[in-house]
Protein backbone atom coordinates (compact mmCIF):
# COMPACT_ATOMS: atom_id res chain seq x y z
CA UNK A 1 0.00 0.00 0.00
CA UNK A 2 2.79 2.44 0.92
CA UNK A 3 4.64 1.66 -2.30
CA UNK A 4 1.55 1.89 -4.51
CA UNK A 5 0.54 5.24 -3.02
CA UNK A 6 4.07 6.63 -3.25
CA UNK A 7 3.97 7.84 0.34
CA UNK A 8 7.77 7.58 0.72
CA UNK A 9 8.51 9.14 -2.66
CA UNK A 10 10.73 12.25 -2.65
CA UNK A 11 9.23 14.92 -4.87
CA UNK A 12 12.40 16.85 -5.63
CA UNK A 13 16.19 16.29 -5.62
CA UNK A 14 16.09 13.60 -8.26
CA UNK A 15 13.35 11.52 -6.70
CA UNK A 16 14.09 8.36 -4.78
CA UNK A 17 12.49 7.28 -1.51
CA UNK A 18 12.78 8.21 2.15
CA UNK A 19 11.16 5.71 4.56
CA UNK A 20 10.85 8.39 7.25
CA UNK A 21 8.22 10.21 5.14
CA UNK A 22 5.64 7.65 6.23
CA UNK A 23 5.97 8.90 9.82
CA UNK A 24 5.04 12.41 8.66
CA UNK A 25 2.40 11.45 6.12
CA UNK A 26 -0.57 11.76 8.52
CA UNK A 27 -2.06 8.72 6.78
CA UNK A 28 -5.72 8.62 7.86
CA UNK A 29 -8.54 6.38 6.69
CA UNK A 30 -12.04 7.80 6.27
CA UNK A 31 -14.46 6.44 8.91
CA UNK A 32 -16.30 4.36 6.30
CA UNK A 33 -12.98 2.94 5.05
CA UNK A 34 -13.60 3.68 1.37
CA UNK A 35 -10.53 5.87 0.91
CA UNK A 36 -7.65 7.38 2.86
CA UNK A 37 -5.70 10.64 3.00
CA UNK A 38 -1.98 11.36 3.23
CA UNK A 39 0.39 14.27 2.71
CA UNK A 40 3.59 14.11 0.66
CA UNK A 41 7.03 15.40 1.59
CA UNK A 42 5.90 18.86 0.36
CA UNK A 43 2.63 18.56 2.33
CA UNK A 44 0.59 18.10 -0.85
CA UNK A 45 -2.61 16.26 0.09
CA UNK A 46 -3.79 13.16 -1.76
CA UNK A 47 -6.58 10.62 -1.37
CA UNK A 48 -6.11 6.93 -2.19
CA UNK A 49 -7.95 3.63 -2.19
CA UNK A 50 -7.35 1.42 0.88
CA UNK A 51 -4.77 -0.59 -1.07
CA UNK A 52 -2.87 2.55 -2.16
CA UNK A 53 -4.16 2.70 -5.74
CA UNK A 54 -6.07 5.46 -7.58
CA UNK A 55 -4.15 8.34 -6.03
CA UNK A 56 -5.98 11.64 -6.47
CA UNK A 57 -4.51 15.10 -5.96
CA UNK A 58 -6.52 17.38 -3.63
CA UNK A 59 -4.47 20.51 -2.86
CA UNK A 60 -0.87 21.75 -2.75
CA UNK A 61 1.13 24.84 -1.64
CA UNK A 62 0.92 23.75 2.01
CA UNK A 63 4.61 23.10 2.67
CA UNK A 64 4.90 25.97 5.20
CA UNK A 65 1.89 24.78 7.28
CA UNK A 66 1.75 22.02 9.89
CA UNK A 67 -1.10 19.54 9.45
CA UNK A 68 -2.59 18.54 12.81
CA UNK A 69 -5.51 16.34 11.77
CA UNK A 70 -8.87 15.84 10.08
CA UNK A 71 -12.48 16.14 11.22
CA UNK A 72 -14.98 14.04 9.24
CA UNK A 73 -18.63 14.43 8.27
CA UNK A 74 -21.05 11.52 7.63
CA UNK A 75 -20.98 12.28 3.89
CA UNK A 76 -17.25 11.58 3.52
CA UNK A 77 -16.23 15.24 3.59
CA UNK A 78 -13.55 16.53 5.92
CA UNK A 79 -11.88 19.63 7.29
CA UNK A 80 -8.08 19.52 7.43
CA UNK A 81 -6.69 21.84 10.11
CA UNK A 82 -3.24 23.32 10.56
CA UNK A 83 -1.36 25.17 13.30
CA UNK A 84 2.16 25.20 14.65
CA UNK A 85 1.79 25.59 18.42
CA UNK A 86 -0.69 26.19 21.20
CA UNK A 87 -2.55 29.54 20.97
CA UNK A 88 -1.77 30.01 17.28
CA UNK A 89 -4.68 30.65 14.89
CA UNK A 90 -5.95 27.55 13.14
CA UNK A 91 -5.96 27.49 9.34
CA UNK A 92 -8.12 24.98 7.47
CA UNK A 93 -9.92 23.93 4.31
CA UNK A 94 -12.69 21.45 3.50
CA UNK A 95 -12.71 18.80 0.80
CA UNK A 96 -14.22 15.48 -0.24
CA UNK A 97 -12.51 12.14 0.34
CA UNK A 98 -13.11 11.52 -3.37
CA UNK A 99 -10.52 14.19 -4.11
CA UNK A 100 -12.29 17.50 -4.73
CA UNK A 101 -11.96 20.76 -2.83
CA UNK A 102 -15.15 22.22 -1.31
CA UNK A 103 -13.83 25.36 0.37
CA UNK A 104 -11.43 28.01 -0.77
CA UNK A 105 -7.75 27.24 -0.27
CA UNK A 106 -6.35 27.32 3.25
CA UNK A 107 -4.72 30.69 2.62
CA UNK A 108 -8.14 32.21 1.84
CA UNK A 109 -10.41 30.76 4.55
CA UNK A 110 -11.13 32.72 7.72
CA UNK A 111 -8.73 31.69 10.54
CA UNK A 112 -10.21 30.22 13.71
CA UNK A 113 -9.17 30.46 17.35
CA UNK A 114 -10.31 26.85 17.87
CA UNK A 115 -10.10 23.63 15.88
CA UNK A 116 -13.03 23.99 13.46
CA UNK A 117 -15.94 21.63 13.05
CA UNK A 118 -17.86 21.26 9.79
CA UNK A 119 -21.35 20.74 8.44
CA UNK A 120 -22.15 17.51 6.63
CA UNK A 121 -21.62 18.98 3.16
CA UNK A 122 -18.37 20.75 4.12
CA UNK A 123 -19.66 24.07 2.80
CA UNK A 124 -19.59 25.63 6.27
CA UNK A 125 -17.26 25.43 9.22
CA UNK A 126 -17.89 26.08 12.91
CA UNK A 127 -15.13 28.33 14.17
CA UNK A 128 -14.24 30.47 17.16
CA UNK A 129 -13.48 34.11 16.44
CA UNK A 130 -13.81 37.71 17.56
CA UNK A 131 -15.62 39.62 14.81
CA UNK A 132 -17.33 43.03 14.67
CA UNK A 133 -21.13 43.19 14.68
CA UNK A 134 -23.23 45.66 12.67
CA UNK A 135 -22.28 48.48 15.06
CA UNK A 136 -18.56 47.63 14.90
CA UNK A 137 -18.39 46.11 18.37
CA UNK A 138 -16.24 42.98 18.66
CA UNK A 139 -18.12 39.82 19.61
CA UNK A 140 -16.20 36.77 20.79
CA UNK A 141 -18.04 33.58 20.06
CA UNK A 142 -18.81 30.62 17.86
CA UNK A 143 -19.55 31.40 14.24
CA UNK A 144 -20.79 29.49 11.23
CA UNK A 145 -18.62 30.54 8.30
CA UNK A 146 -19.12 29.78 4.62
CA UNK A 147 -15.85 28.09 3.62
CA UNK A 148 -16.19 29.31 0.04
CA UNK A 149 -16.64 33.07 0.58
CA UNK A 150 -16.07 33.70 4.36
CA UNK A 151 -19.56 35.04 5.04
CA UNK A 152 -20.37 34.50 8.74
CA UNK A 153 -23.31 33.88 11.05
CA UNK A 154 -22.94 34.36 14.80
CA UNK A 155 -24.19 31.33 16.71
CA UNK A 156 -23.59 32.47 20.31
CA UNK A 157 -21.17 34.64 22.24
CA UNK A 158 -18.82 33.51 25.02
CA UNK A 159 -16.52 35.16 27.54
CA UNK A 160 -13.60 32.95 26.50
CA UNK A 161 -12.86 30.33 23.86
CA UNK A 162 -10.99 27.07 24.44
CA UNK A 163 -7.49 26.66 23.04
CA UNK A 164 -6.61 24.81 19.87
CA UNK A 165 -5.84 21.75 22.02
CA UNK A 166 -9.55 21.28 22.85
CA UNK A 167 -11.93 19.18 20.70
CA UNK A 168 -13.53 20.70 17.63
CA UNK A 169 -17.29 21.39 17.73
CA UNK A 170 -19.24 18.27 16.71
CA UNK A 171 -22.13 18.83 14.30
CA UNK A 172 -25.21 16.61 14.08
CA UNK A 173 -27.99 17.12 11.56
CA UNK A 174 -30.92 15.09 12.89
CA UNK A 175 -33.26 16.24 10.09
CA UNK A 176 -33.92 19.30 7.94
CA UNK A 177 -35.27 21.26 10.90
CA UNK A 178 -33.09 19.95 13.74
CA UNK A 179 -29.37 20.61 13.91
CA UNK A 180 -27.14 20.46 16.97
CA UNK A 181 -23.60 21.62 17.67
CA UNK A 182 -21.75 20.05 20.61
CA UNK A 183 -18.92 22.09 22.08
CA UNK A 184 -16.31 21.39 24.75
CA UNK A 185 -15.08 24.48 26.60
CA UNK A 186 -14.37 25.72 30.11
CA UNK A 187 -17.40 26.98 32.03
CA UNK A 188 -16.39 28.62 35.31
CA UNK A 189 -13.04 26.87 35.02
CA UNK A 190 -14.48 23.38 34.42
CA UNK A 191 -14.26 21.61 31.01
CA UNK A 192 -17.91 21.20 30.05
CA UNK A 193 -19.97 19.66 27.25
CA UNK A 194 -22.63 22.00 25.86
CA UNK A 195 -25.17 21.63 23.08
CA UNK A 196 -26.37 24.44 20.82
CA UNK A 197 -29.70 23.93 19.01
CA UNK A 198 -29.38 26.02 15.88
CA UNK A 199 -33.07 26.29 14.99
CA UNK A 200 -34.04 27.14 18.56
CA UNK A 201 -31.03 29.37 19.21
CA UNK A 202 -30.62 27.77 22.63
CA UNK A 203 -27.44 26.68 24.42
CA UNK A 204 -27.75 23.86 26.97
CA UNK A 205 -25.11 22.66 29.44
CA UNK A 206 -24.99 18.86 29.51
CA UNK A 207 -22.19 17.66 31.79
CA UNK A 208 -18.71 18.42 33.15
CA UNK A 209 -15.92 16.43 31.49
CA UNK A 210 -12.84 14.68 32.92
CA UNK A 211 -10.32 16.76 30.94
CA UNK A 212 -7.06 18.01 32.44
CA UNK A 213 -5.11 19.36 29.48
CA UNK A 214 -1.75 21.05 29.51
CA UNK A 215 -0.90 23.30 26.59
CA UNK A 216 1.04 20.58 24.77
CA UNK A 217 -1.73 17.98 25.16
CA UNK A 218 -4.73 17.37 22.90
CA UNK A 219 -8.32 16.14 23.13
CA UNK A 220 -10.86 15.03 20.52
CA UNK A 221 -14.52 14.03 20.32
CA UNK A 222 -16.33 11.68 17.94
CA UNK A 223 -20.11 11.70 17.61
CA UNK A 224 -21.95 8.41 17.07
CA UNK A 225 -24.02 8.17 13.86
CA UNK A 226 -27.30 8.24 15.81
CA UNK A 227 -26.25 11.35 17.74
CA UNK A 228 -26.91 9.73 21.12
CA UNK A 229 -23.31 9.11 22.22
CA UNK A 230 -20.12 11.13 22.17
CA UNK A 231 -16.68 9.58 22.55
CA UNK A 232 -14.07 11.78 24.25
CA UNK A 233 -10.34 11.07 23.93
CA UNK A 234 -7.30 12.85 25.31
CA UNK A 235 -3.56 12.25 25.37
CA UNK A 236 -0.98 13.38 27.90
CA UNK A 237 -0.58 12.87 31.61
CA UNK A 238 -4.31 12.44 32.29
CA UNK A 239 -5.17 10.94 28.89
CA UNK A 240 -7.88 8.37 28.31
CA UNK A 241 -11.03 7.50 26.41
CA UNK A 242 -14.53 8.10 27.75
Amino acid sequence: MIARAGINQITQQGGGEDPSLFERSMLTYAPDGRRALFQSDLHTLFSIEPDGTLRRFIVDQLYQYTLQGFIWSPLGNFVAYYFGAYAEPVRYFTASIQGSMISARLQNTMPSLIVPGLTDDGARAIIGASLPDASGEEQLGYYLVDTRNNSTELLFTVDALPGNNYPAPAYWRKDNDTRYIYTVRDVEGVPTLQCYHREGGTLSTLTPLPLHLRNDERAWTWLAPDGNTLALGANGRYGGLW
Side-chain angles (χ1 to χ4, degrees):
M1 182 272 290
I2 296 172
R4 285 172 176 169
I7 294 176
N8 290 337
Q9 183 177 346
I10 300 173
T11 304
Q12 298 177 334
Q13 300 174 351
E17 291 193 351
D18 178 359
S20 69
L21 292 178
F22 180 78
E23 304 294 335
R24 306 194 298 272
S25 68
M26 298 291 289
L27 176 67
T28 304
Y29 283 84
D32 61 14
R34 288 179 297 172
R35 288 184 68 82
L37 300 171
F38 79 93
Q39 67 175 1
S40 71
D41 57 339
L42 296 182
H43 295 184
T44 299
L45 194 68
F46 295 94
S47 75
I48 55 174
E49 289 293 300
D51 63 357
T53 60
L54 298 179
R55 186 169 86 166
R56 295 175 186 168
F57 165 83
I58 297 177
V59 66
D60 58 4
Q61 299 181 19
L62 299 169
Y63 52 86
Q64 70 268 49
Y65 302 99
T66 303
L67 176 61
Q68 297 289 349
F70 307 99
I71 307 294
W72 298 89
S73 87
L75 300 182
N77 303 314
F78 64 91
V79 55
Y81 59 96
Y82 296 71
F83 61 86
Y86 177 77
E88 287 188 359
V90 181
R91 307 305 298 263
Y92 58 91
F93 62 85
T94 64
S96 164
I97 188 62
Q98 299 303 322
S100 59
M101 288 284 288
I102 298 172
S103 72
R105 283 179 170 266
L106 170 147
Q107 296 87 345
N108 297 322
T109 55
M110 181 178 294
S112 174
L113 299 176
I114 63 171
V115 175
L118 80 162
T119 57
D120 290 355
D121 61 4
R124 289 172 175 80
I126 304 149
I127 67 169
S130 179
L131 300 175
D133 61 13
S135 63
E137 183 178 352
E138 291 284 320
Q139 291 190 303
L140 181 68
Y142 287 82
Y143 289 82
L144 199 63
V145 59
D146 191 312
T147 59
R148 299 156 297 183
N149 59 30
N150 287 336
S151 62
T152 59
E153 173 191 337
L154 176 64
L155 298 173
F156 59 94
T157 60
V158 295
D159 294 328
L161 288 166
N164 57 21
N165 58 340
Y166 267 55
Y171 175 87
W172 183 42
R173 178 181 175 273
K174 183 178 180 181
D175 53 47
N176 289 337
D177 300 314
T178 314
R179 290 167 290 180
Y180 299 105
I181 298 170
Y182 295 91
T183 63
V184 178
R185 66 186 189 92
D186 287 356
V187 177
E188 297 181 353
V190 178
T192 302
L193 177 65
Q194 294 186 305
C195 177
Y196 179 75
H197 180 210
R198 187 180 176 199
E199 282 70 25
T202 56
L203 180 67
S204 302
T205 296
L206 301 182
T207 182
L209 296 174
L211 284 183
H212 303 278
L213 293 178
R214 295 183 293 190
N215 292 350
D216 60 345
E217 298 170 348
R218 303 284 183 264
W220 307 265
T221 56
W222 301 272
L223 191 63
D226 62 4
N228 289 328
T229 309
L230 191 76
L232 169 68
N235 65 14
R237 185 177 179 184
Y238 297 102
L241 180 65
W242 297 267

